[in-house]
Short mmCIF file of all heavy atoms in Angstrom, two decimals:
data_model
loop_
_atom_site.label_atom_id
_atom_site.label_comp_id
_atom_site.label_asym_id
_atom_site.label_seq_id
_atom_site.Cartn_x
_atom_site.Cartn_y
_atom_site.Cartn_z
N GLU A 185 -116.94 136.54 -68.74
CA GLU A 185 -117.29 136.91 -70.14
C GLU A 185 -118.11 138.23 -70.23
O GLU A 185 -117.85 139.02 -71.14
CB GLU A 185 -118.13 135.87 -70.73
CG GLU A 185 -117.32 134.59 -71.01
CD GLU A 185 -118.08 133.56 -71.82
OE1 GLU A 185 -119.10 132.92 -71.24
OE2 GLU A 185 -117.77 133.35 -72.97
N LEU A 186 -119.03 138.48 -69.28
CA LEU A 186 -119.72 139.73 -69.30
C LEU A 186 -118.84 140.95 -69.08
O LEU A 186 -118.93 141.94 -69.71
CB LEU A 186 -120.80 139.70 -68.21
CG LEU A 186 -122.00 138.81 -68.59
CD1 LEU A 186 -123.01 138.67 -67.38
CD2 LEU A 186 -122.76 139.25 -69.80
N ALA A 187 -117.87 140.76 -68.07
CA ALA A 187 -116.86 141.86 -67.82
C ALA A 187 -116.05 142.16 -69.09
O ALA A 187 -115.88 143.30 -69.51
CB ALA A 187 -115.98 141.54 -66.72
N GLY A 188 -115.57 141.15 -69.82
CA GLY A 188 -114.90 141.32 -71.07
C GLY A 188 -115.66 141.98 -72.20
O GLY A 188 -115.04 142.84 -72.87
N ALA A 189 -116.90 141.58 -72.30
CA ALA A 189 -117.70 142.25 -73.36
C ALA A 189 -118.02 143.66 -73.11
O ALA A 189 -117.89 144.61 -73.89
CB ALA A 189 -118.91 141.31 -73.58
N THR A 190 -118.43 143.90 -71.86
CA THR A 190 -119.10 145.22 -71.50
C THR A 190 -117.94 146.30 -71.40
O THR A 190 -118.14 147.48 -71.85
CB THR A 190 -119.83 145.18 -70.19
OG1 THR A 190 -120.88 144.13 -70.28
CG2 THR A 190 -120.56 146.45 -69.90
N LYS A 191 -116.73 145.88 -71.02
CA LYS A 191 -115.71 146.91 -70.93
C LYS A 191 -115.26 147.54 -72.31
O LYS A 191 -114.84 148.72 -72.26
CB LYS A 191 -114.46 146.28 -70.20
CG LYS A 191 -113.82 145.09 -70.93
CD LYS A 191 -112.77 145.48 -71.86
CE LYS A 191 -112.38 144.25 -72.68
NZ LYS A 191 -111.12 144.52 -73.62
N ASN A 192 -115.54 146.73 -73.33
CA ASN A 192 -115.26 147.34 -74.63
C ASN A 192 -116.19 148.44 -74.94
O ASN A 192 -115.84 149.42 -75.55
CB ASN A 192 -115.48 146.26 -75.68
CG ASN A 192 -114.22 145.22 -75.69
OD1 ASN A 192 -113.13 145.59 -75.46
ND2 ASN A 192 -114.49 144.00 -76.09
N VAL A 193 -117.43 148.36 -74.41
CA VAL A 193 -118.39 149.39 -74.72
C VAL A 193 -118.12 150.55 -73.90
O VAL A 193 -118.13 151.74 -74.43
CB VAL A 193 -119.90 148.85 -74.53
CG1 VAL A 193 -120.94 149.93 -74.79
CG2 VAL A 193 -120.16 147.61 -75.23
N VAL A 194 -117.72 150.40 -72.59
CA VAL A 194 -117.35 151.43 -71.73
C VAL A 194 -116.11 152.20 -72.35
O VAL A 194 -116.09 153.42 -72.27
CB VAL A 194 -117.07 151.02 -70.38
CG1 VAL A 194 -116.55 152.12 -69.41
CG2 VAL A 194 -118.26 150.30 -69.70
N ALA A 195 -115.16 151.42 -72.96
CA ALA A 195 -113.94 152.09 -73.59
C ALA A 195 -114.35 152.85 -74.76
O ALA A 195 -113.71 153.91 -74.93
CB ALA A 195 -113.02 150.95 -74.02
N LEU A 196 -115.29 152.51 -75.47
CA LEU A 196 -115.92 153.35 -76.62
C LEU A 196 -116.39 154.69 -75.98
O LEU A 196 -116.09 155.77 -76.55
CB LEU A 196 -117.01 152.78 -77.30
CG LEU A 196 -116.67 151.58 -78.24
CD1 LEU A 196 -117.93 150.88 -78.66
CD2 LEU A 196 -115.93 152.11 -79.49
N ALA A 197 -117.16 154.63 -74.92
CA ALA A 197 -117.53 155.85 -74.27
C ALA A 197 -116.44 156.71 -73.81
O ALA A 197 -116.53 158.03 -73.96
CB ALA A 197 -118.50 155.51 -73.16
N VAL A 198 -115.47 156.11 -73.12
CA VAL A 198 -114.39 156.89 -72.61
C VAL A 198 -113.62 157.43 -73.81
O VAL A 198 -113.19 158.66 -73.67
CB VAL A 198 -113.44 155.94 -71.86
CG1 VAL A 198 -112.06 156.68 -71.43
CG2 VAL A 198 -114.03 155.54 -70.49
N GLY A 199 -113.39 156.86 -74.92
CA GLY A 199 -112.67 157.32 -76.00
C GLY A 199 -113.47 158.58 -76.65
O GLY A 199 -112.88 159.43 -76.99
N MET A 200 -114.87 158.37 -76.68
CA MET A 200 -115.62 159.41 -77.18
C MET A 200 -115.32 160.80 -76.28
O MET A 200 -115.15 161.86 -76.89
CB MET A 200 -117.12 159.18 -77.15
CG MET A 200 -117.42 158.12 -78.30
SD MET A 200 -119.31 157.87 -78.19
CE MET A 200 -119.44 156.26 -78.73
N ALA A 201 -115.44 160.65 -75.02
CA ALA A 201 -115.27 161.69 -74.20
C ALA A 201 -113.86 162.38 -74.36
O ALA A 201 -113.70 163.56 -74.36
CB ALA A 201 -115.48 161.29 -72.78
N SER A 202 -112.88 161.52 -74.41
CA SER A 202 -111.51 161.96 -74.64
C SER A 202 -111.43 162.79 -76.02
O SER A 202 -110.74 163.88 -76.15
CB SER A 202 -110.48 160.83 -74.67
OG SER A 202 -109.25 161.36 -74.83
N GLY A 203 -112.04 162.23 -77.01
CA GLY A 203 -111.98 162.87 -78.35
C GLY A 203 -112.70 164.20 -78.28
O GLY A 203 -112.40 165.10 -79.09
N MET A 204 -113.68 164.35 -77.37
CA MET A 204 -114.40 165.68 -77.30
C MET A 204 -113.58 166.63 -76.37
O MET A 204 -114.11 167.78 -76.21
CB MET A 204 -115.73 165.44 -76.74
CG MET A 204 -116.59 164.58 -77.60
SD MET A 204 -118.18 163.97 -76.73
CE MET A 204 -118.96 165.52 -76.41
N GLY A 205 -112.47 166.14 -75.90
CA GLY A 205 -111.63 167.11 -75.09
C GLY A 205 -111.90 167.06 -73.64
O GLY A 205 -111.51 167.95 -72.89
N MET A 206 -112.62 166.11 -73.13
CA MET A 206 -112.96 166.11 -71.75
C MET A 206 -111.82 165.44 -70.88
O MET A 206 -110.96 164.78 -71.45
CB MET A 206 -114.25 165.24 -71.52
CG MET A 206 -115.51 165.82 -72.17
SD MET A 206 -117.02 164.98 -71.97
CE MET A 206 -118.08 165.97 -73.03
N GLY A 207 -111.78 165.76 -69.64
CA GLY A 207 -110.67 165.49 -68.74
C GLY A 207 -110.85 164.28 -67.89
O GLY A 207 -111.66 163.48 -68.02
N GLU A 208 -110.00 164.22 -66.81
CA GLU A 208 -109.80 163.02 -65.95
C GLU A 208 -111.08 162.79 -65.08
O GLU A 208 -111.43 161.68 -64.85
CB GLU A 208 -108.57 163.14 -65.11
CG GLU A 208 -107.24 163.45 -65.89
CD GLU A 208 -107.06 162.43 -66.91
OE1 GLU A 208 -107.40 161.26 -66.73
OE2 GLU A 208 -106.53 162.81 -68.01
N ASN A 209 -111.75 163.89 -64.70
CA ASN A 209 -112.94 163.64 -63.89
C ASN A 209 -113.94 162.91 -64.74
O ASN A 209 -114.60 161.97 -64.17
CB ASN A 209 -113.63 165.02 -63.48
CG ASN A 209 -112.77 165.76 -62.39
OD1 ASN A 209 -112.03 165.02 -61.67
ND2 ASN A 209 -112.95 167.02 -62.40
N THR A 210 -114.25 163.25 -66.00
CA THR A 210 -115.12 162.62 -66.76
C THR A 210 -114.66 161.12 -67.04
O THR A 210 -115.50 160.20 -66.97
CB THR A 210 -115.12 163.27 -68.17
OG1 THR A 210 -115.39 164.62 -67.95
CG2 THR A 210 -116.28 162.66 -69.12
N MET A 211 -113.42 160.90 -67.30
CA MET A 211 -112.94 159.49 -67.50
C MET A 211 -113.18 158.64 -66.31
O MET A 211 -113.68 157.50 -66.40
CB MET A 211 -111.46 159.40 -67.91
CG MET A 211 -111.14 160.40 -69.01
SD MET A 211 -112.06 160.18 -70.43
CE MET A 211 -111.88 161.71 -71.24
N ALA A 212 -112.82 159.23 -65.07
CA ALA A 212 -113.02 158.37 -63.84
C ALA A 212 -114.47 158.14 -63.64
O ALA A 212 -114.75 157.08 -63.18
CB ALA A 212 -112.33 159.20 -62.69
N SER A 213 -115.23 159.07 -63.90
CA SER A 213 -116.78 158.86 -63.64
C SER A 213 -117.25 157.77 -64.58
O SER A 213 -118.05 156.96 -64.22
CB SER A 213 -117.53 160.20 -63.93
OG SER A 213 -117.14 161.15 -63.09
N LEU A 214 -116.87 157.82 -65.84
CA LEU A 214 -117.25 156.91 -66.84
C LEU A 214 -116.86 155.38 -66.43
O LEU A 214 -117.54 154.33 -66.48
CB LEU A 214 -116.86 157.17 -68.23
CG LEU A 214 -117.57 158.22 -68.92
CD1 LEU A 214 -116.92 158.69 -70.24
CD2 LEU A 214 -118.98 157.83 -69.28
N LEU A 215 -115.59 155.32 -66.05
CA LEU A 215 -114.98 153.99 -65.58
C LEU A 215 -115.85 153.47 -64.42
O LEU A 215 -116.18 152.22 -64.38
CB LEU A 215 -113.53 154.16 -65.22
CG LEU A 215 -112.48 153.69 -66.29
CD1 LEU A 215 -112.49 154.69 -67.42
CD2 LEU A 215 -111.19 153.48 -65.71
N THR A 216 -116.09 154.32 -63.40
CA THR A 216 -116.66 153.89 -62.24
C THR A 216 -118.14 153.45 -62.47
O THR A 216 -118.61 152.37 -62.15
CB THR A 216 -116.78 154.96 -61.12
OG1 THR A 216 -115.38 155.46 -60.95
CG2 THR A 216 -117.31 154.48 -59.89
N ARG A 217 -118.90 154.24 -63.19
CA ARG A 217 -120.18 153.99 -63.46
C ARG A 217 -120.38 152.81 -64.59
O ARG A 217 -121.31 152.01 -64.53
CB ARG A 217 -120.98 155.18 -64.07
CG ARG A 217 -121.12 156.35 -63.04
CD ARG A 217 -121.63 155.82 -61.82
NE ARG A 217 -122.91 155.17 -61.83
CZ ARG A 217 -123.32 154.47 -60.82
NH1 ARG A 217 -122.68 154.26 -59.68
NH2 ARG A 217 -124.40 153.81 -60.91
N GLY A 218 -119.32 152.69 -65.43
CA GLY A 218 -119.27 151.48 -66.33
C GLY A 218 -119.11 150.24 -65.59
O GLY A 218 -119.79 149.20 -65.84
N LEU A 219 -118.29 150.34 -64.56
CA LEU A 219 -118.08 149.11 -63.81
C LEU A 219 -119.44 148.83 -63.05
O LEU A 219 -119.76 147.50 -62.83
CB LEU A 219 -116.98 149.33 -62.72
CG LEU A 219 -116.58 148.10 -61.81
CD1 LEU A 219 -116.16 147.02 -62.62
CD2 LEU A 219 -115.54 148.54 -60.79
N ALA A 220 -120.06 149.88 -62.46
CA ALA A 220 -121.38 149.52 -61.82
C ALA A 220 -122.41 148.92 -62.71
O ALA A 220 -123.15 147.96 -62.35
CB ALA A 220 -121.94 150.85 -61.27
N GLU A 221 -122.45 149.36 -63.96
CA GLU A 221 -123.43 148.79 -64.98
C GLU A 221 -123.11 147.28 -65.25
O GLU A 221 -123.99 146.37 -65.25
CB GLU A 221 -123.40 149.55 -66.33
CG GLU A 221 -123.99 150.81 -66.31
CD GLU A 221 -124.08 151.50 -67.69
OE1 GLU A 221 -123.96 150.74 -68.65
OE2 GLU A 221 -124.15 152.61 -67.73
N THR A 222 -121.78 147.03 -65.27
CA THR A 222 -121.32 145.61 -65.57
C THR A 222 -121.69 144.81 -64.42
O THR A 222 -122.09 143.66 -64.63
CB THR A 222 -119.79 145.65 -65.88
OG1 THR A 222 -119.49 146.58 -66.95
CG2 THR A 222 -119.34 144.28 -66.21
N ALA A 223 -121.40 145.28 -63.22
CA ALA A 223 -121.70 144.45 -62.06
C ALA A 223 -123.16 144.21 -61.88
O ALA A 223 -123.66 143.06 -61.51
CB ALA A 223 -121.19 145.10 -60.74
N ARG A 224 -124.05 145.24 -62.19
CA ARG A 224 -125.54 145.02 -62.05
C ARG A 224 -125.97 143.93 -63.02
O ARG A 224 -126.86 142.98 -62.72
CB ARG A 224 -126.14 146.34 -62.45
CG ARG A 224 -126.33 147.32 -61.30
CD ARG A 224 -127.45 148.30 -61.48
NE ARG A 224 -127.31 149.01 -62.79
CZ ARG A 224 -126.74 150.14 -62.90
NH1 ARG A 224 -126.05 150.77 -61.92
NH2 ARG A 224 -126.65 150.70 -64.24
N LEU A 225 -125.44 144.00 -64.29
CA LEU A 225 -125.90 143.04 -65.32
C LEU A 225 -125.38 141.58 -64.88
O LEU A 225 -126.14 140.67 -65.00
CB LEU A 225 -125.38 143.43 -66.65
CG LEU A 225 -125.61 142.54 -67.74
CD1 LEU A 225 -127.16 142.23 -68.03
CD2 LEU A 225 -125.05 143.08 -69.11
N GLY A 226 -124.10 141.53 -64.50
CA GLY A 226 -123.54 140.20 -64.17
C GLY A 226 -124.28 139.56 -62.92
O GLY A 226 -124.59 138.40 -62.99
N THR A 227 -124.63 140.46 -61.98
CA THR A 227 -125.35 139.84 -60.72
C THR A 227 -126.69 139.35 -61.14
O THR A 227 -127.04 138.23 -60.66
CB THR A 227 -125.36 141.00 -59.73
OG1 THR A 227 -124.06 141.41 -59.30
CG2 THR A 227 -126.03 140.39 -58.48
N ALA A 228 -127.28 140.08 -62.05
CA ALA A 228 -128.66 139.62 -62.54
C ALA A 228 -128.55 138.24 -63.28
O ALA A 228 -129.57 137.46 -63.38
CB ALA A 228 -129.29 140.71 -63.33
#
Side-chain angles (χ1 to χ4, degrees):
E185 289 189 290
L186 288 175
T190 306
K191 60 92 186 182
N192 285 330
V193 183
V194 179
L196 286 170
V198 170
M200 289 182 207
S202 181
M204 294 167 64
M206 297 178 184
E208 305 306 323
N209 288 337
T210 306
M211 306 309 155
S213 299
L214 283 169
L215 261 72
T216 305
R217 296 313 306 163
L219 182 62
E221 287 188 21
T222 305
R224 280 201 305 270
L225 177 57
T227 301

